[in-house]
Amino acid sequence: MPIKPMMLAPCLLALAMPALAVQKMECAAGQEGDGGWQHPTKAVGEHPAVILGEVDLGQESIQQPGYFLRMRTVTVEPGGVIPYHSHGKRPGIFFMKHGQIKIYVDGCKMPLVLNEGDSVVEDHRIKHFARNETDDVAILLVADIHQ
């Protein structure tokens, strides 16, 4: 059975991190429903991502032309926003390297609060935005597959 590209990002990031529990990005029990929040469309206080490495999956044994596995850091200043987006064609996993961020996921009444050391899977179903509502910078280590 061939390896699918969406299976690689979580596996490779997990190997690069200490042994941690990786959670799915989903609502807490009883928190399913409309959160009623506005979806921001512009980044605020989000630094350009720093690409740490990238692999052309078309050149690898899995032969997935046009797909790339990358690892990057994303930094969000206090009060900053990562705008509303989808992971329909960009599955990944991220690790909170520093700080805290709140993730506002479609279909959840309350945001997910991720603290330093937490990690989460972002699969094809995920549509969300994020806010750094603290007085400290938030730094995320992200591995994803993109075209």
Side-chain angles (χ1 to χ4, degrees):
M1 178 164 101
I3 297 173
K4 302 214 185 262
M6 64 187 67
M7 297 166 65
L8 287 177
C11 296
L12 292 176
L13 186 57
L15 290 174
M17 298 184 320
L20 299 171
V22 178
Q23 60 184 308
K24 289 184 178 181
M25 188 175 288
E26 57 191 16
C27 306
Q31 295 299 319
E32 299 85 2
D34 183 9
W37 39 69
Q38 296 292 320
H39 296 140
T41 57
K42 295 188 180 188
V44 176
E46 178 185 10
H47 295 237
V50 175
I51 306 295
L52 302 173
E54 187 170 81
V55 176
D56 181 347
L57 297 177
Q59 302 299 312
E60 297 299 318
S61 62
I62 62 168
Q63 305 239 337
Q64 297 294 320
Y67 287 89
F68 299 86
L69 171 63
R70 68 180 168 189
M71 183 173 281
R72 58 198 169 108
T73 58
V74 175
T75 302
V76 184
E77 293 294 330
V81 175
I82 298 173
Y84 183 73
H85 62 280
S86 164
H87 286 270
K89 293 189 177 186
R90 194 170 43 88
I93 185 170
F94 73 84
F95 170 74
M96 282 300 303
K97 185 175 179 184
H98 179 80
Q100 180 190 83
I101 200 145
K102 288 187 179 179
I103 310 291
Y104 294 81
V105 181
D106 277 4
C108 296
K109 292 179 183 177
M110 298 294 292
L112 304 173
V113 179
L114 300 173
N115 295 297
E116 191 168 314
D118 290 343
S119 55
V120 69
V121 172
E122 301 172 298
D123 67 23
H124 68 278
R125 300 169 294 156
I126 301 300
K127 294 179 182 177
H128 64 102
F129 66 95
R131 292 186 193 278
N132 178 354
E133 298 177 3
T134 72
D135 294 328
D136 194 9
V137 67
I139 302 172
L140 298 82
L141 181 61
V142 181
D144 60 2
I145 293 173
H146 70 98
Q147 289 182 295

